[in-house]
Each structure stands twice: as C-alpha cells, then as structure tokens.
Amino acid sequence: MAKIASTAIVALPKVSDAVNKITILKGVVTLKPGSQAVMSTGSALYVTAKPETTINAPKAIAEMFAGRPPPVLTARYPISSGSSAFPFDFQFTEADITAEGLYEDTNAEKKANIYWWMNDNLVISARFDSDGVAATRDPDDLVGRSFSLVERKDNDNTFRYSSDVEIQLQGRGVGGRFITTKKEK
C-alpha cells in the first residue's frame, strides 16, 4: 500500500491591518441636484484615482499605457437598494493601490516617496453602476470626477493630498445615454 504524503495547510501572510488603515486619500461622493441614482440589488460605486500626467511614471508604465496615466488606486463599494446611499464617504488606503501604482522601476534612482505617483496631482473619478458590473455601461449609471492636489510640507520630503475630495455624480448626458442604451432584440 502506497503512503500518502501529508500536507500541512499554511496560512499565507495577510496585509497587516495597520497598512490597511493608512489613509492616502478620502472624500465624499454626492449627487448633483436633479440627479437620481437608480438602485438595484447589485448596485455599486466605483472610485478610481490616477495621476494627472505621466511625467513621474516609470518608462515601462508610460509605454504600457501609451502615455496615458493608469489608475493607481481603485475601490468598489456595494450599494444596497432601498438605502439612502448618498452622500457616500469613501477612502483609499494602501490596500487599494493597483499593480500599476505599486510598480517599481528597478533601474531608476530611489526617491524619497514610496510610490512613483506620490508627487502628482490625482484625478479622482467615481461611477455609480446601477447593475454593479464594472464591464457594463448603462444609461442609468452616474459619473463624476474631481481633483486632489499634492500638498508638500516645508523643508520636508513628505506629502499629503488635499483634504476631503468631493465628487458630484450626474448622468452621462444625451450622447452618453445614447451610446449606453440597450438595444431591443
């Protein structure tokens, strides 16, 4: 009879709770007056942040995204139907950094900041997705964006982003609604 090798279950280390609690940026998502969020069972709010430019991006990132800044922070927040979801407070922590945001150019000179995009102003975009599926675009989805400017401390290499960002969601407009309208079969 063949022996079966025993296997031990090893727990992989988790990102420490301390890291998850380091807030990079926070803000609030509101509805523009006259806008209405059409809720469904799977509704979700997607919030992303990307640098305003690729000036500080590693060469590989700039080339990979054809000179357009990639998202460096992303978060998905489920929104339950029947709730008063807005205003909605959000925050980005280090747990929300994308692979592109974590990218480290091993050939580059080490800089004082941890991430390549930390000296850049950020464009913060939000989308209320009525069906909760990021890949779909529906006429009832609401969109908005804002900016967070880098604030540097005097005589110090540390930074922080401007305090609470406010993003107002609104409909996509006539063109956006036309493009996202579902066709009857």
Side-chain angles (χ1 to χ4, degrees), residues 80-180:
S80 59
S81 60
S83 68
S84 175
F86 298 99
F88 184 91
D89 293 321
F90 74 91
Q91 71 174 6
F92 285 124
T93 67
E94 286 189 322
D96 299 313
I97 300 175
T98 64
E100 295 81 14
L102 289 172
Y103 184 87
E104 184 178 325
D105 189 349
T106 55
N107 297 323
E109 178 183 322
K110 291 287 180 196
K111 297 179 183 171
N113 289 326
I114 299 171
Y115 307 110
W116 62 265
W117 44 269
M118 286 189 143
N119 281 322
D120 295 331
N121 296 328
L122 296 178
V123 178
I124 317 299
S125 300
R127 178 167 61 101
F128 171 76
D129 193 280
S130 56
D131 66 4
V133 179
T136 63
R137 302 291 184 262
D138 294 312
D140 292 327
D141 293 351
L142 302 175
V143 295
R145 75 177 189 170
S146 187
F147 295 90
S148 185
L149 306 178
V150 173
E151 297 175 352
R152 291 175 185 82
K153 295 182 179 178
D154 292 334
N155 302 322
D156 194 352
N157 282 333
T158 61
F159 82 100
R160 70 183 190 95
Y161 285 103
S162 52
S163 57
D164 290 357
V165 172
E166 182 179 351
I167 304 170
Q168 274 197 338
L169 297 179
Q170 61 184 2
R172 295 181 176 274
V174 175
R177 289 185 68 81
F178 175 75
I179 290 170
T180 59

